[in-house]
Amino acid sequence: QVHLVESGGGLVKPGGSLRLSCAASGFAFSDYYMSWIRQAPGKGLEWVSYINSVGSTVDYADSVKGRFTISRDNARNSLYLQVNSLRPEDTAVYYCATGRYSSYWGQGTLVTVSS
Amino acid sequence: EIVLMQSPGTLSLSPGERATLSCRASQSVSSSYLAWYQQKPGQAPRLLIYGASSRATGIPDRFSGSGSGTDFTLTISRLEPEDFAVYYCQQYAGSPFTFGQGTRLEIK
């Protein structure tokens, strides 16, 4: 059974940083592209970033480019998102999900950016 | 960047009725790389359709997707009470893999 569990969210001041993690199990993690998708409170889904199966290709939404970094550790079946220079508008639930279109999603981790 | 526009914003229907949701792209979505998701309050989204018309595993056959190029449709043939939710389309033909703004399907 596929399982994705995000962690690392929390309350942070503007300009602060966090490292979000996603632990994967139940599937061949190293074979899959992975994505981060976020959802601000009461708003729609926003694609944030993706990484290919070996970590050699990544891309980001313009809204986070230069501030967020996606990475993965296939030996640990883990996906990461380093989020720096956080802004209030980055407040959202951050989901990790498989693939470019997402068959499987975690339950999300809440990032709140507020002074 | 491909912009996706979903319509209507809100759709009010009764159980047993047919629902038709639209997703229009600002440019052609190559290879019909378009997906549809359902999201209920407090839950992560669930994949319904990929490749514009292929149902994901475990999705009932009352859900169907169609379309190509810039115009795509999600149809729910006979609404069940559990189908009332928010629906999103997403293109994955090219990065950024953008989402539409969503259609809220509510009980009339």
Side-chain angles (χ1 to χ4, degrees):
Chain A
Q1 184 178 359
V2 173
H3 214 46
L4 296 169
V5 180
E6 300 93 338
S7 60
L11 174 63
V12 61
K13 289 181 168 53
S17 298
L18 287 171
R19 190 192 196 205
L20 308 183
S21 299
C22 173
S25 61
F27 67 105
F29 178 76
S30 60
D31 289 347
Y32 280 70
Y33 282 48
M34 295 293 294
S35 296
W36 286 99
I37 295 150
R38 69 183 181 183
Q39 187 168 36
K43 303 297 185 183
L45 301 172
E46 181 187 14
W47 177 83
V48 172
S49 180
Y50 92 95
I51 187 168
N52 72 349
S53 58
V54 297
S56 60
T57 301
V58 301
D59 202 6
Y60 303 91
D62 286 346
S63 58
V64 307
K65 202 168 286 187
R67 300 187 298 123
F68 289 13
T69 303
I70 191 171
S71 62
R72 66 190 296 159
D73 184 340
N74 286 345
R76 295 177 183 269
N77 287 346
S78 293
L79 176 72
Y80 305 102
L81 188 69
Q82 179 68 39
V83 296
N84 297 332
S85 304
L86 283 162
R87 306 166 180 169
E89 55 265 34
D90 295 319
T91 293
V93 173
Y94 285 73
Y95 295 102
C96 76
T98 56
R100 294 174 298 159
Y101 71 88
S102 298
S103 300
Y104 301 105
W105 299 64
Q107 283 305 301
T109 187
L110 176 62
V111 173
T112 303
V113 185
S114 174
S115 53
Chain B
E1 172 177 327
I2 298 177
V3 177
L4 299 179
M5 291 297 299
Q6 292 186 241
S7 62
T10 301
L11 185 57
S12 299
L13 293 170
S14 300
E17 290 193 292
R18 180 184 186 91
T20 302
L21 287 67
S22 174
C23 178
R24 180 163 290 176
S26 59
Q27 56 189 276
S28 183
V29 178
S30 61
S31 304
S32 295
Y33 284 159
L34 188 109
W36 289 93
Y37 302 87
Q38 176 193 70
Q39 188 179 33
K40 297 180 180 179
Q43 296 183 15
R46 177 175 71 146
L47 176 68
L48 300 174
I49 300 287
Y50 63 95
S53 60
S54 298
R55 267 189 304 277
T57 303
I59 301 303
D61 60 8
R62 65 179 181 273
F63 291 91
S64 63
S66 63
S68 63
T70 60
D71 289 297
F72 298 89
T73 300
L74 175 70
T75 301
I76 310 171
S77 58
R78 285 182 57 86
L79 285 165
E80 298 287 343
E82 63 267 27
D83 298 336
F84 292 91
V86 180
Y87 292 83
Y88 296 94
C89 59
Q90 182 203 19
Q91 67 80 23
Y92 53 99
S95 181
F97 302 138
T98 46
F99 287 90
Q101 82 280 16
T103 290
R104 180 177 303 277
L105 178 55
E106 65 177 26
I107 299 176
K108 188 174 182 180

